[in-house]
Amino acid sequence: MPMKTSTRFVKAALLNLVTALVLCTLCEWLALYVFHTAQAPAGQGWIWPMFFINFAFAWCVATVIGMVPALPEKGVRWALKRARPEDGLRFGALVNVPINTVYAVVLCYLVGALDACVLGGAPLVASVFGFLQNIVPVWVACYVVTLFLQGPVEGVARGITNDPAPRMA
């Protein structure tokens, strides 16, 4: 639905707080306990400094992605080839597929490159392998978060910016 730029920013900023939190929690858990590509300091089960750096970085990147005006339009066009708006949740779920794919690919790669290469000193190829092992769980987690929260968050954003939703004919 059409919205003011301020509404789009507030929506992106709020939704991406949760998206970044889920993404960073998932990726750190995968690195520490599934793939064993990271090691927490002795006596600790989490790498808090890395988590907070990743969270701030992921939130900023995701908010910038959320401000790309063509992205929701592309999602709607993609979904219209497969369903009708009257299909309700099915249509909404399909709209979210291309949008979420952009978020997941960009965030998974950039956060992985930040961790492995910039902060960890690994060669660039490490970011590719990190991306390949994390992209599926990251895509699923981001999809679930955005599917269920984007509607309520849009309502909050419209309320904050005094931008009422357009009336449906």
Side-chain angles (χ1 to χ4, degrees), residues 9-169:
F9 174 76
V10 171
K11 178 184 176 186
L14 293 175
L15 182 60
N16 291 318
L17 283 172
V18 179
T19 303
L21 179 65
V22 168
L23 170 89
C24 294
T25 302
L26 174 65
C27 288
E28 185 153 337
W29 178 77
L30 288 170
L32 289 170
Y33 300 109
V34 176
F35 301 123
H36 305 288
T37 54
Q39 204 169 18
Q44 297 181 13
W46 208 250
I47 308 171
W48 287 107
M50 185 71 74
F51 177 82
F52 290 122
I53 291 168
N54 287 338
F55 175 77
F57 179 73
W59 179 78
C60 290
V61 170
T63 301
V64 169
I65 294 169
M67 291 303 296
V68 176
L71 199 53
E73 296 164 12
K74 289 181 191 285
V76 169
R77 280 194 304 251
W78 189 84
L80 282 170
K81 294 176 184 175
R82 291 151 181 85
R84 295 182 320 272
E86 301 82 44
D87 293 338
L89 181 59
R90 180 172 184 261
F91 182 75
L94 288 170
V95 167
N96 200 32
V97 169
I99 296 169
N100 183 69
T101 300
V102 170
Y103 270 92
V105 167
V106 172
L107 287 170
C108 187
Y109 183 77
L110 290 180
V111 171
L114 173 70
D115 281 354
C117 304
V118 176
L119 300 174
L124 191 57
V125 71
S127 65
V128 174
F129 287 109
F131 172 82
L132 293 174
Q133 74 183 19
N134 288 327
I135 187 61
V136 172
V138 164
W139 191 94
V140 171
C142 288
Y143 183 83
V144 170
V145 167
T146 57
L147 178 66
F148 291 109
L149 291 182
Q150 77 84 24
V153 168
E154 181 175 323
V156 169
R158 285 185 181 279
I160 290 171
T161 60
N162 196 24
D163 183 12
R167 301 269 182 223
M168 296 306 228

